[in-house]
Amino acid sequence: MTPPLRVRPASVPPAGLPGLDPRSSRLLPLPAGAPDTGLGVGEPAWHHLDTGPELAARGITPVGTILAVHGNPTWSYLWRSLIPATLDAAAAGGPAWRVVAVDQLDMGFSARTGRHRTLPERVRDLDAFTTALGLTGPVVVLGHDWGGVVAMGWAVDHPDRLAGLALLNTAIAHPDGEPIPAPLRAATAGPVLRLATSATPAFLETTLALAHPPLPREVADAYRAPYRHAEDRGGVEGFVADIPGHHDHPSAPELRRIAAGVAGLTVPALLQWGPRDPVFRDRYLDDLVDRLPHARVHRHEGAGHLVAEDVDWAAPLLAWLGEEVRGDGAPAAPAAGAAPAAGAAAPWTPLWDRLDARADDPGPAVLDMAADGGPRTVSWRLLARQVRRIAAGLRRVGVRPGDRVSLLVEPGPTLTALVYACLRLGAVVVVADAGLGPRGLTRAQRGAQPDWVVGQTKGLLAARALGWPGVRIAADPLGPAARRALGVAHLLVDVADAGRDDELPPGPGPDDEAAILFTSGSTGPAKGVVYTHAQLSALRDVLAAHFDVGPDTGLVTGFAPFALLGPALGTRSVTPDMDVSAPRTLTARAVADAVRAADGAIVFLSPAAILNVVATAGDLDAGDRAALARVRTFLSTGAPISADLLGSAAALMPAAEPHTPYGMTECLLVTDITLDGIRAAAGAPDAGVCVGRPVGPGRVLVSALDADGAATGAPSDAPGVLGEVLISAPHLKQHYDRLWLTDRAAGREVPAGRWHRTGDVGHLDAEGRLWIEGRLAHVLVTADGPLAPVGPEQHVERVPGVRRAAVVGVGPAGVQQAVAVVEPPADAAPRRAGLAPAALAAEVRAVAPVPLAAVLVAPRMPTDVRHNSKIDRTRLAGWASRVLSGGPVGAP
């Protein structure tokens, strides 16, 4: 027999719940005549948290109210950290925001009404609550989980009082024909519903287990407090039962009404998201972004469903309120120093302009030396025709301007045609390096949420197996069975054929988004970097001018990011015979073959590729060496490289001027230096790696480090100042994708215009050259002040028997001790990880310019996959601390 739902009056939470000030608890009776009055057991009321009385007691008038609505099965305790944050901000003289966090009826410590409530009722409940409270506005609504839906319902219904919308993991729409997420399907399945939600605390405990890291026991107990008994969990059951899992569900019309209304909201919006949520996945964030394109969005990497427990979300909320929401409810003026959008007034020609100019040219445009069946050449005429056909075909199958298209295709003619087709159509190209590995690629794909995926079979297999989003288009020919197995909707050959006779619409504008390029992940989880069309064209222009690229230059591109620029530069390009996802597979002979095939004058290589090119130089014959002797410019791009290695590569191309530009995914070309410049700088007393002077119109400034190692100094070009490197250039990225807080940090306290804090530390010298000394996160904070690692590492690497070195800090900040970790040469017998032999340690200490607490040996340094050269000093520091504290040695 089904037990009846309990009727119970409201109460205040017990004292002693961690983080909850009992003085903020209030009871508000339901208005007379409300459907749930006259329950027969006390006076029904809402329990809520309210800072209004405390602000009044302090003589502070609030500028507005944050109306916070919890979901299922939490309660207003979810918002406890916001209360002291707002009170502290008000006490410090900042805008005073009142916080009102309600327990929905049948939830938390509000009244139990004895019946299940539907979504329309819950939206009406919130309206009744704010009416009874006399809440007039301005109001910023804040919601999580299904409380987000209820909060959005109130927002849609009260535009006159609405000042802003802030949401944590929630959803407002679900695609028709698709099942709801598996955890919710399990909870709503027939007899399981009551068993999982009210008869047992299974649903509650499963939700609490979603915190990262796990909740402290006393915090979990606080969440359990209002739901100790089965009869108290009727609201949990009712909430789950009311999930509109299909089109005809009774609450589905209300959900659709709210979803449509949200798309019309223009108030400032903030979306903070936990990507590890198994229920509200990134596709629901993507839907919200589509409805609120002006929203600030931040995905908190590592956080999950209980994002309010996993990260500090309150400080970003208050920062957003201060920057974008005025006390009278109107949008705030842009924050000082905020970067304006790229200006359409600047001269701009599309990236495909020079391809169009050569559309009738039968000469070679793209050569692929690694193609199956032998080298493949595509003419300008064929490439231009394929670009137009693919663009028109993509439009015909449904790709629209602004759609995100992930390209899982290896560099070569097909990828080149796809990139330019997407750009011409106005679609946004998503590029993530295979070197990120399955986990990194999955994180990137889910974060970017592409609408479409165009891939070769290998990429489509990964997309299918790992659940990557997007309608799939196969770049390889596939039979019907393979298409079904991989979930392929279209074949690229059919797409191109469908666009054979179609006219293309007008192209995108300069300020439209063009591409999302993912960083290597060498300094944290890979980030999506958004470029506009104007910024990509600016990169083309600065490359062409700085390296004197003309129609007959010929590029050999052994570094994937530059492999696609040939058509944009109006010159032929060739990809050598190599595995582009593993640069170390490139050989000297393959470079010579590529130079010969393209009559290449410029060679782009990565440091990892150069290592193997130099190592295989003995395989070159006279013809190979003659071909390489025709190269006039050689670039090592992507990561630092030693003068010796650059010189060894330059010896293979004796007529070429060797360059090693400094850049990053956020700005692919910042400064440049030649081998002669490196050798000239070698005699300077400066610490670090000299990366030369800014290229073209680019600018570099430095923000000095303070005693705590923070970059707090006013940006300047004063020589000899150690600090964070700031850059500005027309080809600087527009922003990070759905990483608003990262954008704010990168644009913190910068000069007017578009500037970016790189996270690199270094200094400028008296000649205007930039010297890189490490990453800001790797700076040691010693008793003598901040210490950048690269300078000391350079000294240690001069010791025979040391291939690479890293200097890391152990101990608390302010009194950190420097520890050197050294890696032996590749051809040396591997030493066991741990303390260095006494003789080696003595040699290292003798040359180090700073005192070393210890010298350790790591047989192999942890490095990034893409470049195989950027040492993970944070990981090494943790390993060194463990070893020196007597823990297990293991491998770093």
Side-chain angles (χ1 to χ4, degrees):
M1 182 180 218
T2 300
L5 294 175
R6 181 181 182 184
V7 176
R8 189 199 70 185
S11 63
V12 296
L17 298 184
L20 184 65
D21 186 345
R23 293 176 299 176
S24 63
S25 276
R26 297 285 186 276
L27 295 181
L28 179 67
L30 271 67
D36 295 294
T37 55
L39 296 176
V41 183
E43 185 178 38
W46 288 281
H47 167 257
H48 62 287
L49 308 178
D50 189 352
T51 62
E54 177 65 20
L55 290 171
R58 299 183 184 187
I60 298 174
T61 301
V63 298
T65 300
I66 301 171
L67 175 62
V69 189
H70 68 86
N72 185 30
T74 57
W75 55 288
S76 57
Y77 184 72
L78 182 77
W79 310 114
R80 67 192 182 281
S81 64
L82 186 60
I83 290 174
T86 53
L87 292 175
D88 289 348
W97 285 91
R98 175 188 183 187
V99 176
V100 173
V102 64
D103 284 359
Q104 299 193 59
L105 292 175
D106 299 295
M107 304 293 291
F109 288 92
S110 285
R112 299 300 190 263
T113 65
R115 63 187 183 86
H116 287 165
R117 314 184 79 76
T118 63
L119 177 59
E121 287 180 290
R122 291 199 174 278
V123 174
R124 289 195 295 269
D125 287 344
L126 187 57
D127 179 40
F129 169 76
T130 56
T131 299
L133 195 64
L135 198 61
T136 57
V139 175
V140 172
V141 294
L142 168 65
H144 170 251
D145 188 82
W146 285 99
V149 180
V150 177
M152 284 184 272
W154 190 96
V156 167
D157 292 341
H158 299 86
D160 55 323
R161 283 184 265 173
L162 187 66
L165 174 64
L167 300 170
L168 309 182
N169 291 43
T170 187
I172 194 56
H174 184 79
D176 288 338
E178 288 191 25
I180 59 176
L184 295 182
R185 289 203 306 274
T188 57
V192 174
L193 172 63
R194 176 150 295 168
L195 180 66
T197 56
S198 60
T200 72
F203 189 82
L204 170 63
E205 295 301 327
T206 299
T207 302
L208 298 181
L210 295 177
H212 306 286
L215 295 175
R217 184 180 65 182
E218 59 272 19
V219 171
D221 282 345
Y223 277 112
R224 297 179 183 114
Y227 304 118
R228 291 290 182 187
H229 307 290
E231 57 268 30
D232 293 330
R233 295 191 289 267
V236 176
E237 177 185 343
F239 240 130
V240 174
D242 191 47
I243 294 172
H246 54 84
H247 188 271
D248 297 325
H249 188 282
S251 287
E254 177 71 352
L255 188 66
R256 291 192 289 269
R257 181 189 75 85
I258 298 171
V262 166
L265 296 178
T266 59
V267 295
L270 174 65
L271 309 177
Q272 297 192 69
W273 206 261
R276 296 177 65 181
D277 192 336
V279 178
F280 296 108
R281 295 188 177 273
D282 276 294
R283 68 176 178 182
Y284 295 110
L285 172 62
D286 196 51
D287 174 78
L288 285 167
V289 171
D290 285 344
R291 297 173 193 277
L292 299 164
H294 60 287
R296 302 298 188 184
V297 183
H298 190 83
R299 298 172 73 254
H300 291 277
E301 195 64 49
H305 180 72
L306 290 177
V307 62
E309 296 292 343
D310 295 347
V311 297
D312 177 7
W313 63 276
L317 175 70
L318 293 181
W320 167 75
L321 288 172
E323 293 175 10
E324 303 199 13
V325 183
R326 283 194 343 212
D328 60 3
W348 176 73
T349 55
L351 209 64
W352 57 88
D353 183 68
R354 292 167 197 176
L355 173 61
D356 284 353
R358 301 188 69 168
D360 294 323
D361 189 338
V366 178
L367 299 89
D368 183 8
M369 306 299 288
D372 292 339
R376 179 187 173 196
T377 300
V378 176
S379 69
W380 291 100
R381 180 185 297 159
L382 177 58
L383 179 61
R385 185 175 67 190
Q386 283 298 94
V387 165
R388 295 186 66 82
R389 286 180 175 178
I390 292 173
L394 289 173
R395 181 170 180 260
R396 183 175 279 258
V397 300
V399 179
R400 295 292 177 259
D403 279 4
R404 296 182 170 195
V405 183
S406 176
L407 300 179
L408 307 177
V409 179
E410 293 184 353
T414 300
L415 178 60
T416 302
L418 277 164
V419 166
Y420 286 89
C422 290
L423 293 175
R424 175 61 183 83
L425 186 60
V428 181
V429 175
V430 178
V431 179
D433 197 311
L436 292 175
R439 287 184 63 186
L441 279 171
T442 297
R443 186 185 296 118
Q445 296 292 329
R446 290 180 178 169
Q449 281 291 299
D451 304 283
W452 304 81
V453 174
V454 184
Q456 292 168 315
T457 304
K458 182 180 178 181
L460 295 175
L461 281 168
R464 183 70 166 185
L466 299 173
W468 297 346
V471 178
R472 296 180 187 126
I473 300 174
D476 294 334
L478 295 175
R483 288 181 60 174
R484 287 193 298 271
L486 295 174
V488 169
H490 308 281
L491 297 180
L492 184 59
V493 64
D494 295 336
V495 170
D497 189 61
R500 178 182 299 271
D501 300 318
D502 287 5
E503 290 294 323
L504 286 174
D511 295 339
D512 291 333
E513 292 185 359
I516 301 173
L517 311 180
F518 275 86
T519 61
S520 67
S522 59
T523 56
K527 301 181 287 290
V529 179
V530 178
Y531 279 89
T532 66
H533 283 270
Q535 289 151 8
L536 289 182
S537 292
L539 173 63
R540 171 203 61 199
D541 295 341
V542 75
L543 278 169
H546 186 69
F547 294 110
D548 190 23
V549 181
D552 297 317
T553 299
L555 307 179
V556 175
T557 53
F559 183 54
F562 290 105
L564 300 167
L565 284 173
L569 291 163
T571 192
R572 61 190 173 275
S573 60
V574 56
T575 304
D577 187 2
M578 64 182 293
D579 179 352
V580 291
S581 65
R584 286 172 289 179
T585 61
L586 181 63
T587 65
R589 174 159 284 180
V591 175
D593 289 341
V595 169
R596 197 159 31 227
D599 193 18
I602 299 181
V603 174
F604 290 83
L605 298 179
S606 70
I610 291 170
L611 278 170
N612 201 52
V613 168
V614 171
T616 57
D619 297 333
L620 296 173
D621 60 24
D624 297 329
R625 292 184 182 277
L628 293 175
R630 296 197 295 270
V631 176
R632 65 170 171 81
T633 305
F634 160 59
L635 294 90
S636 170
T637 54
I641 184 173
S642 70
D644 289 343
L645 182 56
L646 190 62
S648 297
L652 302 178
M653 294 169 271
E657 182 177 54
H659 293 251
T660 175
Y662 161 71
M664 58 211 69
T665 309
E666 293 86 346
C667 190
L668 290 168
L669 189 60
V670 177
T671 65
D672 182 37
I673 190 168
T674 64
L675 178 57
D676 287 343
I678 294 172
R679 288 171 173 162
D686 301 76
V689 176
C690 184
V691 296
R693 297 178 179 83
V695 172
R699 295 181 61 198
V700 172
L701 297 175
V702 171
S703 172
L705 302 185
D706 60 21
D708 296 323
T712 57
S716 81
D717 57 2
V721 176
L722 176 65
E724 184 178 12
V725 176
L726 281 66
I727 60 175
S728 178
H731 51 284
L732 175 65
K733 55 88 176 169
Q734 184 66 17
H735 60 84
Y736 290 112
D737 186 43
R738 300 178 183 179
L739 291 171
W740 174 64
L741 295 177
T742 309
D743 270 325
R744 289 182 77 249
R748 174 185 59 84
E749 297 174 1
V750 299
R754 296 182 56 250
W755 286 85
H756 171 71
R757 288 181 174 265
T758 64
D760 286 340
V761 292
H763 70 276
L764 292 163
D765 65 17
E767 298 180 37
R769 297 175 301 191
L770 175 64
W771 296 71
I772 297 298
E773 299 183 62
R775 293 285 296 171
L776 185 61
H778 300 156
V779 169
L780 289 70
V781 184
T782 72
D784 297 324
L787 172 66
V790 171
E793 290 168 357
Q794 290 174 315
H795 286 268
V796 173
E797 287 171 349
R798 295 171 189 156
V799 173
V802 174
R803 178 183 177 229
R804 287 190 290 196
V807 172
V808 299
V810 296
V815 291
Q816 282 188 318
Q817 302 295 306
V819 171
V821 183
V822 302
E823 175 185 308
D827 57 355
R831 294 187 174 98
R832 294 182 61 185
L835 290 172
L840 176 60
E843 288 185 82
V844 169
R845 283 193 168 95
V847 302
V850 296
L852 297 175
V855 179
L856 304 178
V857 171
R860 185 166 186 171
M861 294 284 195
T863 62
D864 66 299
V865 176
R866 179 184 291 179
H867 305 296
N868 192 36
S869 60
K870 296 182 180 179
I871 296 173
D872 188 342
R873 294 186 184 89
T874 301
R875 182 171 163 185
L876 275 181
W879 174 76
S881 297
R882 186 174 73 241
V883 171
L884 295 175
S885 63
V889 175

